Amino acid sequence: MLLPDLRQEVRGNNRLYWLLGVGLGTGGAAVAQAYCLAVIIDGVFIGGQETAGLTPWLSALALLILLRAVLVWTAERLGFRLAAEVRDRLRQRVLKKIFAGGPVAMGDEQTGDIAHTLGEGIDSLEPYFARYLPQVVAAVLVPLLVLLTVVAQDRLSAIILLITAPLMPIFMNLIGSWAKGLSERRWDVLSRLSAHFYDVLQGLTTLKLFGRSREQTAIVYRASEEFRKATLEVLRVAFLSALVLELLATVSTAIVAVTVGLKLLYGGIGFREAFFILVLAPEFYLPFRLLGSHFHASLTARAATERIARLLLDRTAVSTPVPEAEPFEAPEGIGIAFEEVTVCYPGRANPALSRVSFRLRPGEQSALVGPSGAGKSTVANLLLGFLSPDAGVIEVNGRDLAGIRRSEWLGKVAYIPQFPHIFAGTVGENIRLGAPGGEDRMVAAAEAAGIHEFVETLPRGYRAPVGEGGMALSGGEAQRIALARAFFRNSPVLILDEATAWLDPRAEDRVKESLQRLMQGKTVLIIAHRLSTIAKADQVIVLESGRVVEQGRPQDLLAREGVYRRMMAAYRGIR
Amino acid sequence: MKCLRRLLREIPLPWPALTAAVLSGALTVGANVGMLATAAYLISLAALHPPLAAVTMAVTGVRFFTLVRAGARYLERYIAHDAAFRLVSGIRVWFYARVEPRVPGGLGGIGATGLWQRAVADVETLQFFFLRVLLPPGVAVVVGVAVGLALCRVGTPFAAVFAIGFGLAGVALPLGLRSLGRGAGAAVIRTRARLRALLADSLLGLRDLAASHQQEEQLEKVRAAEQAYAAAEGRAAHVNGLGEAGGQLLAQATVLAAVLTAIPLIRAGAMDGVWLAALALAIQGAFEAALPLAQNFHFGEESAAAAGRLLEVGDGAPAVEEGRGLTEVAGNFDLVAENLCFRYPAARQWGLKNLTFSVPAGSRVAIVGASGAGKSTLAALLVRFWEYRGSIRLAGRELKDYSPAAVREVIGLVPQHIHIFNASLADNIRVAAPQAGLADVRAAAVQAGLDGVIQALPHGMDTFLGVNGHALSGGERQRLAIARVLLQRPAIVILDEPAASLDPAGERAVMDAARQALGGSTLMVITHRLTGLEDMNEILVLDAGRLAERGRYTELLARQGLFHKMWQYQRDTI
């Protein structure tokens, strides 16, 4: 009953047992309540007793009523708590897995799909844990309890209950499988309708350009009506299962009532027992019916669980941090050396980098150039620790990068991506991004990045919310925020993925200036997209299909009859 | 609730169906009450050992109510769902009719995704408005009155006890829950949005997070948001639990109160004891109608929120009034703009400011500028997606004097984002002119350079292109869009970033095809790439909504201004 992938999440969670206990307690209270009612009515009607004589039973009934209400409320609370815990644990597990895999393992997966699974998918487990799971257990235990009680009163009635009980699942299954075929067809119609509707909504501007949007109203109406008819066709069958359930429950209650009544007529049973059984009979069927109404929750949860399990399985960590990694100090600036570094991505025939060697010296700007797919971002990924070399070694001040504690290394590196992400939070939080430092330094960083004036125009300045749920920033503004991040961190190593698009003509020159200041005295690697940047670099490394084909000072390379010279010639002609 | 009322003014409720559903719902509960009461009566009667004939009535009654119950349940479900779907169908059509005249300008910033969420999720939520908000109170009222009247015949005190209990469960409890849970729904939505935003950040910002080693901190943030969300939801669950427990409590307590009321009456001989069991079970059964009301306000609020979001879409006036003005553009198609201004609603800055330019019929004009300079905005104004200030004259008359549809017949636009319908290639082109014959459609396709594509597709022109034409490349989409315009044959054609998704070679091929095929038409090309502009009659350089420079290619380069700077920048980029 419990989906295998979820077992781990509730193992050892006491709330689940409490929930089962409460479910059973509710059933017990219902039985006891029915008994009290039977005794009281028997006492009044047959025994001719008055209120005073029945006081203990009346008070017991009142207490049981209260108890049952408390149990119902407790079950609701417990179920929710259990579900909330499971959600929290699952989300943390999946996120940790994704974080451990890093951006390279994430690759170009559909982030939208993953976000959906993490959000709605995990949320949809709530009804499963809070309602369906307890109901499954209740559907086994409570009818059993009722049955045992009835056996003690009247065997014939117990047999009737016993015979009708299995009929419920059998009929539900029969009708269920009949409805399934129809329901699949309905999903067809439904997805066709929604696809069509979406198509029309998305293409509305196009339709309007050609004066054809108005006439779509009739088509939307027709599609909607088609959907209604198809749905009702399924429901006509699906409701049959409601009918059969209802019929089975009431018919067997009626049979029990009539049987017991006739037995009573001939003195084969007492009134109290007979009435007790009559009150109990509906309680016998109630859990089955509730189970049916929560069945949908289990289907949704099953689908979600499959997707969650895939997320937990798929992600193999590309670079695992070394446990005995050591601290790292570099007061004198940082030199980096790639020695024969080779990287192969799983499932690719050719290595992304093949025996790549170069040096990045402190105070020097190195430009990495080459066509897309040459391996430029793989180099950046290696330096940021998103990847580790399959062969060869990356040395930092003479020490293997793999042996250095990740957090300390990344504390020395600032990275400016081409498309920086703006997080949901304030402008200030987006500039700091977890790095230490006071308000003054943050404002200074923003000024250096040429974004301070813009921030000052915002209604709440550095406290203005941006990102999801806040103000949307333009591409140029986002880039300057990323630049401010780098100024704020002021790390000895800078990795810059140069922007290809011209985002803001006015800011461009200022950003260029402040970038030059930022790069002063640092170990800089630029994934270059500007010829002027390349020309100004101290060193150019030309990559082609994962190999370093040329490296050296730009003027030296230009003098040589090589790839670099050809490239320059192709783009602007040699000056 | 105000939103719901407003929505219901626009879409009338299916009253006959609602009445039928309420009656069959009441019959379902009533049959159960009848069955339980007669069964209890049967047993009580049997306990007195009368002749068999005396109980046969009761036996028949039990059987009768059993069958009625099942039949009525089926009927109620069917009628109610049919009515709910009819209502939803009506809402869907109403929604489309509301959206259509406002696209794309008058939607108040709601994008395609926002529209889609409303059109699907919110419209479907309103299905439950019928089933869970309207129906239960109706059933409760009918059952309450019917059972109350029946109890009056047994004894007025019972009717009074029942009225109090039923009223508490059906009115006081829901009201109490509403005031307890006020704000809980909003808190759930708020905290959930925060959690969702953090999750999206964790995925989309993974590179930035990992590069600054902020994963642990992000996990902590997610956990904190998760806890806030759970706390908000816990409050909602708490209210829900109170409702369920309270409903049961009231039902059982009412039974107990009725029994307590009956005992002295029976002792005094004012009431026959044989009715006591039937009384107790009948009251218990009747509460089936009152219990769903506990959640009535909750569902009511959900429906109101959904209705509010639907109404939000068309609240403002359409950006441009459709269907008014001259239906034909006569004369030569010179286009002249003077002091053209435009500001997006709620924007702080002008989108376009004081543009003055002219595009003589048959000329070729390029509009260039950085992203956000206002190039596409200008195109949107020319095809009347937004209202403008200042003046745009077409064939000597103000653009506003024509009906927007008439303007769009003369000015055709190949937008930057081309939508391909999930239909055949032929139908996708035919969108531009539904009456066009297959030969014309094919001719347009060939002229746009699609002949290679047609040959490669399995069913040629009849091949379905899939959701948003996923099988087509960027260049093929451009060509398809150009084929549409060719079929439409407008006098003025605007190409918005025809090269955006193409490499330089593809760009040249598409542009050449377009120029050749559109010979004679006025051609306006919007682009941020400064290639192939040498033979333009004029180039308009936009900068933050203003016309920074205008002139021919060589003139602009010689001027050493913004255009020259852009040109240099482009040459610098690899």
Side-chain angles (χ1 to χ4, degrees), chain B residues 92-386:
Chain B
R92 216 173 261 140
V93 172
W94 164 84
F95 183 68
Y96 180 82
R98 208 170 154 87
V99 167
E100 189 268 331
R102 291 175 167 84
V103 160
L107 292 174
I110 297 163
T113 323
L115 272 186
W116 173 237
Q117 274 166 355
R118 285 174 174 81
V120 175
D122 289 333
V123 168
E124 266 169 29
T125 302
L126 288 174
Q127 166 185 328
F128 297 112
F129 166 65
F130 187 90
L131 295 172
R132 291 181 185 165
V133 182
L134 285 180
L135 201 50
V139 172
V141 167
V142 175
V143 168
V145 169
V147 172
L149 287 178
L151 285 176
C152 274
R153 292 182 59 113
V154 185
T156 346
F158 301 117
V161 166
F162 172 73
I164 293 170
F166 201 80
L168 282 175
V171 181
L173 182 67
L175 282 174
L177 292 175
R178 179 164 80 144
S179 67
L180 259 182
R182 187 162 285 153
V188 168
I189 290 170
R190 199 180 52 242
T191 49
R192 183 169 50 207
R194 167 84 184 144
L195 178 64
R196 295 276 197 275
L198 281 173
L199 291 175
D201 271 351
S202 308
L203 299 170
L204 296 170
L206 184 57
R207 267 191 100 74
D208 302 61
L209 281 175
S212 44
H213 211 258
Q214 288 294 303
Q215 294 100 322
E216 286 300 321
E217 287 76 0
Q218 185 72 7
L219 281 176
E220 271 315 304
K221 274 189 196 168
V222 169
R223 167 153 284 163
E226 178 98 50
Q227 274 158 3
Y229 176 39
E233 272 213 323
R235 204 172 133 221
H238 169 71
V239 172
N240 192 27
L242 278 183
E244 239 174 80
Q248 282 202 17
L249 182 77
L250 284 170
Q252 306 296 340
T254 309
V255 172
L256 181 60
V259 171
L260 281 173
T261 315
I263 295 174
L265 289 176
I266 293 169
R267 286 281 296 169
M271 178 186 163
D272 191 346
V274 79
W275 292 108
L276 181 60
L279 178 75
L281 293 197
I283 289 176
Q284 191 176 346
F287 269 83
E288 187 187 354
L291 296 182
L293 293 178
Q295 289 208 292
N296 208 52
F297 283 113
H298 170 70
F299 289 125
E301 272 168 23
E302 272 187 5
S303 301
R309 278 190 297 268
L310 287 181
L311 285 165
E312 198 179 82
V313 167
D315 243 1
V320 173
E321 192 85 37
E322 303 269 347
R324 259 201 228 158
L326 302 169
T327 52
E328 213 166 323
V329 184
N332 72 327
F333 299 110
D334 290 340
L335 195 64
V336 181
E338 250 173 87
N339 286 325
L340 177 61
C341 291
F342 175 72
R343 177 147 56 180
Y344 282 104
R348 279 176 301 172
Q349 279 150 355
W350 289 97
L352 293 175
K353 181 83 175 162
N354 290 333
L355 292 194
T356 300
F357 62 85
S358 62
V359 182
S363 66
R364 288 176 183 171
V365 171
I367 300 158
V368 302
S371 68
K375 305 184 299 277
S376 296
T377 306
L378 179 58
L381 294 189
L382 291 177
V383 293
R384 302 290 282 128
F385 281 166
W386 293 97

Side-chain angles (χ1 to χ4, degrees), chain A residues 517-552:
Chain A
R517 250 183 297 137
L518 176 64
M519 293 192 288
Q520 215 55 245
K522 298 200 161 87
T523 313
V524 181
L525 178 71
I526 308 170
I527 297 175
H529 293 291
R530 308 278 170 79
L531 298 173
S532 53
T533 313
I534 299 168
K536 255 186 275 172
D538 299 297
Q539 176 190 215
V540 176
I541 302 161
V542 185
L543 277 180
E544 216 174 51
S545 335
R547 286 167 200 280
V548 176
V549 287
E550 267 183 321
Q551 57 177 319

Side-chain angles (χ1 to χ4, degrees), chain B residues 457-508:
Chain B
L457 288 173
H459 305 291
M461 298 279 289
D462 295 326
T463 311
F464 263 69
L465 299 178
V467 177
N468 201 3
H470 61 80
L472 297 184
S473 73
E476 288 163 355
R477 298 171 80 90
Q478 295 284 359
R479 288 171 195 275
L480 197 155
I482 288 168
R484 282 177 181 161
V485 172
L486 286 177
L487 195 63
Q488 190 197 6
R489 283 254 157 242
I492 301 171
V493 176
I494 308 173
L495 300 176
D496 191 354
E497 296 284 1
S501 54
L502 301 177
D503 54 37
E507 176 187 351
R508 226 165 298 135

Side-chain angles (χ1 to χ4, degrees), chain A residues 33 44-45 48-51 58 61 65 68-69 73 76-77 80 87-88 91-92 95-96 98-99 103 106 111 115 119-120 123 131 194 197-200 202-210 212-214 216-217 221 224-225 228 231-232 235-236 239-240 242-243 246-247 250-251 254 257 261-262 264-265 271 275 278 289 381 386 406-407 410 415 417 420-421 423-424 433-434 468 485 489 500-502 505-506 508-509 529-532 571-572, chain B residues 35 39-40 42-44 46-50 52 62 66 69-70 73-74 77-78 81-82 85-86 89 92-93 96 99-101 103 116 119 194-197 201-215 219 222-223 226 229-230 233-234 237-238 240-242 244-245 248-249 252 256 259-260 263 266-267 273-274 277 281 322 348 370 385 408 413 419 421-422 430-432 434 484 488 543-544 565-566 569 571-574:
Chain A
Q33 205 183 317
V44 177
F45 168 46
Q49 281 177 277
E50 56 184 314
T51 316
L58 286 166
L61 180 57
I65 290 171
R68 200 174 169 187
W73 179 79
E76 185 82 23
R77 299 279 292 177
F80 175 74
R87 286 195 319 206
D88 179 38
R91 264 198 268 265
Q92 292 278 328
L95 269 186
K96 271 184 196 150
I98 288 172
F99 285 168
M106 183 89 158
T111 42
E120 282 86 348
D123 273 356
R131 293 169 207 283
S194 53
F197 202 38
Y198 195 33
D199 207 22
V200 169
Q202 279 211 311
L204 207 47
T205 311
T206 307
L207 290 168
K208 202 164 193 175
L209 278 173
F210 299 114
R212 307 222 23 217
S213 49
R214 181 83 30 106
Q216 292 290 323
T217 314
Y221 175 72
S224 195
E225 281 297 291
R228 179 179 65 85
T231 311
L232 274 178
L235 290 182
R236 215 175 288 162
F239 290 158
L240 270 184
L243 174 95
E246 207 66 64
L247 203 60
T250 36
V251 161
L262 291 180
L264 186 58
L265 192 64
F271 171 77
F275 186 64
L278 177 66
R289 290 162 60 184
N381 286 338
F386 300 164
R406 179 74 47 84
S407 56
L410 287 175
Y415 169 58
H421 182 75
F423 293 87
L433 211 66
E468 178 82 45
R485 276 179 199 163
R489 293 174 76 88
T500 48
W502 201 35
R506 255 170 304 280
E508 185 78 22
D509 290 339
H529 293 291
R530 308 278 170 79
L531 298 173
S532 53
Y571 274 102
R572 84 157 43 147
Chain B
M35 196 272 280
L42 162 68
I43 286 178
S44 302
L48 301 174
H49 308 294
L52 178 61
V62 170
T66 305
R69 160 90 171 175
R73 165 72 82 215
Y74 188 80
R77 288 279 166 97
Y78 189 82
H81 279 81
D82 183 55
F85 288 135
R86 271 176 209 276
S89 188
R92 216 173 261 140
V93 172
Y96 180 82
V99 167
E100 189 268 331
V103 160
W116 173 237
R194 167 84 184 144
L195 178 64
R196 295 276 197 275
D201 271 351
S202 308
L203 299 170
L204 296 170
L206 184 57
R207 267 191 100 74
D208 302 61
L209 281 175
S212 44
H213 211 258
Q214 288 294 303
Q215 294 100 322
L219 281 176
V222 169
R223 167 153 284 163
E226 178 98 50
Y229 176 39
E233 272 213 323
H238 169 71
N240 192 27
L242 278 183
E244 239 174 80
Q248 282 202 17
L249 182 77
Q252 306 296 340
L256 181 60
V259 171
L260 281 173
I263 295 174
I266 293 169
R267 286 281 296 169
V274 79
L281 293 197
E322 303 269 347
R348 279 176 301 172
F385 281 166
R408 288 174 204 138
L413 170 67
H419 184 79
F421 293 94
N422 186 8
R430 205 181 275 125
V431 163
R484 282 177 181 161
Q488 190 197 6
D543 178 27
K565 202 170 157 190
M566 288 168 64
Y569 176 87
R571 295 229 314 160
D572 192 33
T573 306
I574 59 172

